[in-house]
């Protein structure tokens, strides 16, 4: 999972591909949220209809229907991701700079505690059959497993590489992209063991990950502008498709049966298919820097965020881009 400072200065829009009316998406609304600094993951909660957005040192909570901020969870230094455990009424935020998972109440949005985890926690996911939260720790190359009810650490899973985004299938398995080795690791959430490691040959630095749980299919965003489709029962590569540059977020909408990759070059790639037949339906123009996403299946909407950027300094043409204060914006992408 990359922070905004890792965006390329070069910015090239992809040409929109033809799409059917059923799969034609566009940016339907812009909401300027303001504030300073960078961002990382977005998580949509279908129960509260709230969107959780990481903002460097805190998490803002927004109603994406109108762009209004409804909450702010403070003191989450180096925040990357948010895992929601609805049956426990809690959320868990990875604070990468403090090596902690910050716990908050989903209803009040107030912090209630914290748990020490591995080094530089990044992605997080909730596994509902075991009621466990997994934080994926970038510098210790492992996952810390937390019992969501007792808030105690249940164990650690060694991953043998740098983990990125993760997803749970709802049947006791957790899948995580291993960025440094170009693999997907499958974890038994009860036994806390790695069941399988599946290489994605030709996928460089996989980051974003989501799943069609009904059909056991995984979607991984690769940094060489490819999206890999993997059979989650045996690790077989079903397809690899062209996407935009600087992908970080991947999402799946079970209602439309479409997958999405949000690309930092300012595009959202829309992918359809099943079995062994997948194809790119569309590349939607979004905005430079909009590289993470969340999907709202009820509204068939995709949410992404970005900001305007300061011009590069003449004496530092290759310096990382700096977001302009006050320009942080939520983009809502839906069907036309």
């Amino acid at each position: 999972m990359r922070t905004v400072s890792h965006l390329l200065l070069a910015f090239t829009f992809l040409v929109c591909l033809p799409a059917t009316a059923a799969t034609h998406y566009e940016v339907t609304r812009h909401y300027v949220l303001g504030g300073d600094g960078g961002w990382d993951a977005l998580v949509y909660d279908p129960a509260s209809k709230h969107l959780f957005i990481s903002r460097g040192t805190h998490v803002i909570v927004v109603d994406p229907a109108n762009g209004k901020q409804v909450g702010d969870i403070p003191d989450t230094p180096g925040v990357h991701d948010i895992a929601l455990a609805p049956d426990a009424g809690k959320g868990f935020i990875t604070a990468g700079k403090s090596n902690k998972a910050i716990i908050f109440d989903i209803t009040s949005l107030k912090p209630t505690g914290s748990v020490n985890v591995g080094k530089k926690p990044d992605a997080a996911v909730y596994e509902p059959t075991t009621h466990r939260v997994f934080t994926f720790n970038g510098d210790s190359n492992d996952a810390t497993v937390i019992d969501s009810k007792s808030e105690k650490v249940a164990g650690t899973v060694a991953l043998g590489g740098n983990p990125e985004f993760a997803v749970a299938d709802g049947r006791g398995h957790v899948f995580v992209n291993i960025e440094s080795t170009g693999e997907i690791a499958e974890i038994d959430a009860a036994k806390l063991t790695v069941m399988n490691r599946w290489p994605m040959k030709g996928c460089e630095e996989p980051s974003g990950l989501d799943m069609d749980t009904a059909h056991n299919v995984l979607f991984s965003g690769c940094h060489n502008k490819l999206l890999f489709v993997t059979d989650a029962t045996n690790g077989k590569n079903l397809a690899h498709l062209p996407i935009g540059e600087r992908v970080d977020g991947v999402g799946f909408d079970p209602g439309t049966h479409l997958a999405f990759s949000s690309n930092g070059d300012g595009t959202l790639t829309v992918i359809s298919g099943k079995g062994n037949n997948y194809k790119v339906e569309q590349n939607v123009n979004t905005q430079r820097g909009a590289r993470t996403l969340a999907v709202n299946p009820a509204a068939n909407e995709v949410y992404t965020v970005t900001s305007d950027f300061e011009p590069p300094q003449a004496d530092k043409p290759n310096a990382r881009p700096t977001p302009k204060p006050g320009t942080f914006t939520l983009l809502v992408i839906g069907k036309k």
Side-chain angles (χ1 to χ4, degrees), residues 36-93:
D36 298 338
W39 61 89
D40 205 348
L42 291 72
V43 173
Y44 179 72
D45 177 20
S48 66
K49 300 182 180 179
H50 290 160
L51 181 67
F52 294 80
I53 306 174
S54 62
R55 287 291 276 142
T57 59
H58 60 125
V59 172
I60 62 173
V61 188
V62 174
D63 181 347
N66 55 26
K68 301 296 184 182
Q69 184 170 324
V70 297
D72 191 303
I73 305 168
D75 301 324
T76 61
V79 53
H80 287 287
D81 204 359
I82 305 100
L84 303 178
D87 51 354
K90 302 171 185 177
F92 295 75
I93 300 167

Side-chain angles (χ1 to χ4, degrees), residues 48 159 199 214-215 220 230 272 285 320:
S48 66
L159 296 170
H215 299 92
S220 299
T230 303
S272 68
N285 287 339
R320 295 167 179 169

Side-chain angles (χ1 to χ4, degrees), residues 219-304:
F219 302 93
S220 299
C222 311
H223 273 252
N224 53 332
K225 300 192 291 185
L226 292 173
L227 184 135
F228 266 60
V229 185
T230 303
D231 186 328
T233 66
N234 57 22
K236 180 182 177 181
N237 176 234
L238 302 175
H240 52 275
L241 301 159
I243 60 174
E245 193 169 27
R246 302 299 290 174
V247 60
D248 205 13
V250 171
F252 179 76
D253 185 336
T256 60
H257 208 268
L258 296 172
F260 306 89
S261 75
S262 51
N263 315 308
D265 63 6
T267 59
L268 178 87
T269 304
V270 184
I271 290 171
S272 68
K274 61 182 179 179
N276 292 315
N277 184 21
Y278 288 85
K279 65 178 180 178
V280 173
E281 291 282 353
Q282 187 185 2
N283 281 290
V284 183
N285 287 339
T286 55
Q287 186 177 331
R288 175 194 179 197
R291 82 213 189 292
T292 53
L293 60 73
V295 175
N296 176 351
N300 300 134
E301 291 181 333
V302 179
Y303 307 124
T304 187

Side-chain angles (χ1 to χ4, degrees), residues 65-134:
N66 55 26
K68 301 296 184 182
Q69 184 170 324
V70 297
D72 191 303
I73 305 168
D75 301 324
T76 61
V79 53
H80 287 287
D81 204 359
I82 305 100
L84 303 178
D87 51 354
K90 302 171 185 177
F92 295 75
I93 300 167
T94 54
K97 291 185 178 180
S98 64
N99 297 331
K100 293 180 182 292
I102 308 300
I103 306 169
F104 67 94
D105 182 274
I106 288 180
T107 303
S108 69
L109 302 178
K110 301 297 184 183
T112 59
S114 66
V115 180
N116 292 325
V117 296
K119 296 179 181 178
K120 197 177 179 182
D122 191 340
V125 70
Y126 178 62
E127 200 294 301
T129 68
T130 57
H131 309 287
R132 288 172 167 175
V133 173
F134 289 68

